[in-house]
Amino acid sequence: MKVRTLTAIIALIIFLPILLKGGFILMLFSYLLAFIGLKELLNMNMIKFMSIPGLICALGILIIMLPQDAGTWVDNFQLKSLIAISFILLSYTVLSKNRFSFMDAAFCLMAVAYVGIGFMYLYATRSEGLHYILYAFLVVWLTDTGAYIFGRLMGKHKLWPVISPNKTIEGFIGGLICSLLVPIIMLIFVDFNIAVWLLLIWTVVLSAFGQLGDLVESGFKRHFGVKDSGRILPGHGGILDRFDSFMFVLPLVNILLIQA
């Protein structure tokens, strides 16, 4: 417990100033987190980061995380690059004599999309305003806290025991309820330029998808037979273990609140 707490404090000391500063330094930090997360995901499937498929995936991450405000050429470049990467990975299945299979190629493409999009929206959301990124983080944290408390106190019905045996329906609902504290409090200080009732609805949606993101990561780990995605954060596991909910929530914050 002491190791877990100490890790959380150190991580917060490092991450919070970068998050508050935003800009180029947060973009670089997001890239760093994405490359670590990609390595963790590839390792689950026994694909080395320093291999041909691994380096191709890293290139995909580099491209898919390009700033969206750089111009319309970015979208075209990303699309054409991902198409090229798809053909390269498929060609490698032949060159490797199926040691690298079609399923491995599909896994790599999904890994690039899952990790790249999630962490791209980390700095993209911050660039739209500090209140948006704080809102997203508080929704996830309050959801996790509420799910834990309600689950411990009232949890009797398993939510998805095959994937995550400790999660309960009561905890899931408790997380949704606690997440509503975020807009209620933040609206005192911040104008989200959206109707209050709609913000409350979107908060519940984000809370639900945040918990779904946690279950997705749990599903990955259970499928590949690993306890944690990595060991970089003592007591917490890997980067994906800590950011699994955010990788679902951050894109939705942009779709539902910022771009609406």
Side-chain angles (χ1 to χ4, degrees):
M1 188 64 180
K2 290 182 179 180
V3 173
R4 183 179 177 88
T5 302
L6 181 61
T7 300
I9 293 173
I10 294 174
L12 195 61
I13 291 173
I14 295 173
F15 181 63
L16 191 57
I18 295 175
L19 188 67
L20 294 175
K21 178 68 174 177
F24 186 67
I25 187 171
L26 179 58
M27 184 176 73
L28 291 181
F29 191 67
S30 299
Y31 266 104
L32 175 62
L33 294 176
F35 285 131
I36 296 173
L38 175 65
K39 183 178 184 296
E40 292 175 352
L41 196 53
L42 293 176
N43 285 346
M44 289 188 204
N45 199 27
M46 304 300 291
I47 299 174
K48 293 182 179 181
F49 185 78
M50 296 304 294
S51 65
I52 292 177
L55 293 175
I56 292 172
C57 288
L59 177 62
I61 290 288
L62 188 66
I63 293 170
I64 204 170
M65 287 183 63
L66 288 172
Q68 297 300 297
D69 57 0
T72 55
W73 68 270
V74 172
D75 291 336
N76 292 329
F77 177 68
Q78 287 174 327
L79 177 59
K80 292 176 181 178
S81 297
L82 289 177
I83 292 173
I85 287 172
S86 300
F87 284 116
I88 292 171
L89 287 171
L90 289 173
S91 299
Y92 188 68
T93 64
V94 177
L95 296 174
S96 68
K97 298 179 181 179
N98 270 342
R99 289 191 302 272
F100 179 82
S101 69
F102 177 84
M103 295 302 294
D104 292 327
F107 173 85
C108 285
L109 284 173
M110 185 55 68
V112 169
Y114 172 62
V115 175
I117 292 173
F119 283 107
M120 183 271 287
Y121 276 112
L122 176 59
Y123 73 81
T125 303
R126 172 62 184 89
S127 68
E128 295 293 336
L130 181 60
H131 59 293
Y132 284 117
I133 196 72
L134 290 178
Y135 165 79
F137 273 73
L138 288 172
V139 166
V140 171
W141 287 335
L142 264 292
T143 296
D144 287 346
T145 302
Y148 176 78
I149 294 174
F150 277 74
R152 288 293 296 269
L153 295 178
M154 300 188 302
K156 294 181 180 180
H157 303 88
K158 298 296 182 181
L159 177 64
W160 212 307
V162 175
I163 298 297
S164 186
N166 294 326
K167 297 187 184 300
T168 63
I169 295 176
E170 292 82 1
F172 178 83
I173 296 173
L176 299 181
I177 294 172
C178 288
S179 71
L180 290 171
L181 292 173
V182 178
I184 290 173
I185 294 174
M186 287 193 70
L187 281 170
I188 300 175
F189 309 98
V190 178
D191 181 12
F192 282 91
N193 195 30
I194 186 175
V196 174
W197 65 270
L198 188 55
L199 181 61
L200 294 176
I201 291 175
W202 288 155
T203 300
V204 172
V205 171
L206 292 169
S207 177
F209 271 89
Q211 296 185 71
L212 178 59
D214 191 4
L215 286 171
V216 167
E217 177 65 18
S218 296
F220 287 159
K221 292 185 290 187
R222 187 163 291 273
H223 175 75
F224 292 110
V226 298
K227 183 178 183 295
D228 296 313
S229 66
R231 299 179 181 177
I232 194 171
L233 301 172
H236 291 265
I239 293 300
L240 294 182
D241 291 316
R242 291 300 90 204
F243 282 87
D244 49 10
S245 296
F246 297 110
M247 292 165 71
F248 270 51
V249 168
L250 290 173
L252 284 175
V253 168
N254 281 264
I255 294 170
L256 299 177
L257 270 67
I258 297 174
Q259 299 174 6

